[in-house]
Amino acid sequence: MDFDDTWHPATHPSGAVLPAVIALSEAFPQKKKISGLDLLLAFNVGIEVQGRLLRFSNEARNIPKRFHPPTVVGTMGSAAACAKLLALDQAKCKNALAIAASYAGAPLANAATQTKPLHIGNAAKHGLEAACLASQDLQGNKQILDMESGMGAFYTDYSPQSLPTLQSYAWLLDQQDVAIKRFPAHLGTHWVADAASSARRKLVESSDHVLPLDKIEKVIVKVPEVKYVNRPNPNSEHEARHSFQFVACSALLDGSMSVQSFASENIHRPALRELLCKTQLEHPADNKPSFESLYCEVTVVLRDGNTISDRCDTFYGHWRKPLEKEDLEKKFQSNASEVLPPEATEGIIETVYNLEKVKDCSILSMFLSGQSARALSEKLRLL
């Protein structure tokens, strides 16, 4: 659905790691319980490896052009997380990463198609498989992280550096949080949605709270140049999720974005199609394609010559402006309600908030399978 968390340098860090470590934790024998703290540490190792690899490249700091980042660093992060959970020694950890590198990489050309969600699933799967193969003594090139023909194959300016000692080591997640999306679309469109929604509020104030569609001459959207999110005429939900133009027009019409914004009836409604025809993108030289610094400005030019503008520098959900706990829970509850009963959903929330104290993290898997809190009450043991 394109609902993943997003980081800087650009990738979706959690989706490649969390499914892998949860699946692996389920495979351990009953007598070898994996605690919530074990799971958290493995997860953080997987996130850390992704962030460190991305920081070895300046190219990786911008919105990608060639490879979809989760298929590169996500595969490596999954392997590292699973290697940690398996307690592999240093040699086997190196082999796990070497094996994972041979699974890594998928072209960005499949963005805005049904295949894109497969990328992050494969990253989780292949990282887990790489760690399991390494545990069985399969070997790879232990220098793969340092080589131009290794990880350097994915980034033209890849330049690995020595990491700090453990005594002075700082976790990247302590330095920068992730962005959480409020609606399922490319992260760059979230700046567009907030700017367009604000512009709409100004427009309807002077038009009896109805968008004066017939009075709009054109809509100008100033964003960075990101070719795969420049889609003036999206025809599917996947294309709409990767369209600056669609999100600008949808937010102008409705005042906000949601999962339902990408339903077929909303994508093809006549009012939206009319507004799309009036919409054009501009790419100011100072608007760089980086999730750390990009902005969006939406200007509505009216037929009488008046203009209404608004600009978004940091959308609600960005790491500089994180979602409130209540909104984060509402997002999870809304998504989970499609497949889980309310009792299981609330059980997941409670377990996650107390994960460091959970002695046996299999309870999380059981809630995820839809089992009720009543049936699991005896398994929940908090310190």
Side-chain angles (χ1 to χ4, degrees), residues 48-193:
E48 185 74 12
V49 165
Q50 294 179 72
R52 293 294 175 181
L53 290 173
L54 287 167
R55 281 162 175 75
F56 292 156
S57 164
N58 287 325
E59 176 188 336
R61 294 179 182 273
N62 292 332
I63 297 173
K65 294 181 179 179
R66 298 186 300 135
F67 292 100
H68 191 203
T71 70
V72 180
V73 296
T75 308
M76 307 298 284
S78 171
C82 293
K84 177 63 179 174
L85 205 57
L86 289 167
L88 300 188
D89 61 29
Q90 186 179 83
K92 288 183 177 180
C93 284
K94 289 181 178 180
N95 282 325
L97 293 173
I99 297 164
S102 283
Y103 282 124
L108 203 57
N110 271 326
T113 74
Q114 292 179 337
T115 298
K116 185 189 177 189
L118 186 64
H119 290 176
I120 204 159
N122 274 341
K125 168 189 170 184
H126 290 150
L128 171 56
E129 187 170 304
C132 290
L133 289 171
S135 74
Q136 298 299 309
D137 297 319
L138 185 68
Q139 297 182 13
N141 190 326
K142 295 182 177 63
Q143 303 301 316
I144 204 156
L145 298 184
D146 302 323
M147 299 173 65
E148 183 180 357
S149 58
M151 285 302 296
F154 299 107
Y155 300 103
T156 57
D157 63 349
Y158 182 75
S159 179
Q161 308 292 322
S162 297
L163 295 180
T165 63
L166 287 176
Q167 289 74 22
S168 59
Y169 196 86
W171 291 82
L172 292 176
L173 271 179
D174 285 337
Q175 301 172 37
Q176 179 186 287
D177 206 344
V178 296
I180 304 292
K181 299 178 179 181
R182 306 194 315 278
F183 58 90
H186 186 275
L187 194 74
T189 65
H190 287 247
W191 279 267
V192 177

Side-chain angles (χ1 to χ4, degrees), residues 101-360:
S102 283
Y103 282 124
L108 203 57
N110 271 326
T113 74
Q114 292 179 337
T115 298
K116 185 189 177 189
L118 186 64
H119 290 176
I120 204 159
N122 274 341
K125 168 189 170 184
H126 290 150
L128 171 56
E129 187 170 304
C132 290
L133 289 171
S135 74
Q136 298 299 309
D137 297 319
L138 185 68
Q139 297 182 13
N141 190 326
K142 295 182 177 63
Q143 303 301 316
I144 204 156
L145 298 184
D146 302 323
M147 299 173 65
E148 183 180 357
S149 58
M151 285 302 296
F154 299 107
Y155 300 103
T156 57
D157 63 349
Y158 182 75
S159 179
Q161 308 292 322
S162 297
L163 295 180
T165 63
L166 287 176
Q167 289 74 22
S168 59
Y169 196 86
W171 291 82
L172 292 176
L173 271 179
D174 285 337
Q175 301 172 37
Q176 179 186 287
D177 206 344
V178 296
I180 304 292
K181 299 178 179 181
R182 306 194 315 278
F183 58 90
H186 186 275
L187 194 74
T189 65
H190 287 247
W191 279 267
V192 177
D194 279 15
S197 297
S198 295
R200 182 188 191 278
R201 285 193 289 273
K202 294 177 181 179
L203 274 168
V204 300
E205 282 176 1
S206 57
S207 305
D208 297 323
H209 301 285
V210 177
L211 187 72
L213 192 59
D214 59 330
K215 297 179 182 179
I216 295 176
E217 179 72 28
K218 62 181 176 181
V219 178
I220 302 170
V221 182
K222 294 182 179 179
V223 287
E225 185 173 10
V226 183
K227 292 182 179 179
Y228 74 100
V229 197
N230 181 354
R231 298 179 187 273
N233 189 34
N235 286 308
S236 71
E237 64 170 290
H238 297 285
E239 291 181 355
R241 297 183 201 281
H242 294 76
S243 171
F244 286 133
Q245 296 92 328
F246 173 83
V247 171
C249 294
S250 189
L252 280 171
L253 285 171
D254 302 328
S256 63
M257 297 294 297
S258 69
V259 173
Q260 287 304 311
S261 299
F262 303 94
S264 180
E265 60 269 23
N266 286 324
I267 293 172
H268 296 288
R269 53 184 160 159
L272 187 130
R273 290 289 148 180
E274 178 184 342
L275 200 54
L276 279 171
C277 292
K278 300 177 179 181
T279 301
Q280 62 189 57
L281 299 188
E282 292 184 0
H283 308 300
D286 67 335
N287 202 351
K288 305 300 182 184
S290 166
F291 293 144
E292 178 65 24
S293 60
L294 76 81
Y295 66 86
C296 174
E297 185 175 309
V298 174
T299 300
V300 180
V301 181
L302 302 177
R303 295 189 186 279
D304 62 9
N306 289 322
T307 63
I308 301 291
S309 294
D310 212 293
R311 171 171 165 149
C312 176
D313 292 296
T314 303
F315 68 86
Y316 179 48
H318 191 275
W319 48 83
R320 291 193 299 267
K321 195 176 181 181
L323 292 185
E324 297 290 340
K325 178 182 175 182
E326 180 182 1
D327 289 330
L328 185 59
E329 289 182 6
K330 282 181 180 178
K331 173 184 173 178
F332 176 72
Q333 289 162 340
S334 175
N335 289 338
S337 68
E338 298 292 322
V339 292
L340 293 175
E343 201 172 38
T345 300
E346 294 308 311
I348 292 169
I349 293 173
E350 181 183 355
T351 303
V352 168
Y353 283 145
N354 293 283
L355 198 54
E356 292 181 39
K357 301 176 183 179
V358 172
K359 293 181 178 179
D360 181 0

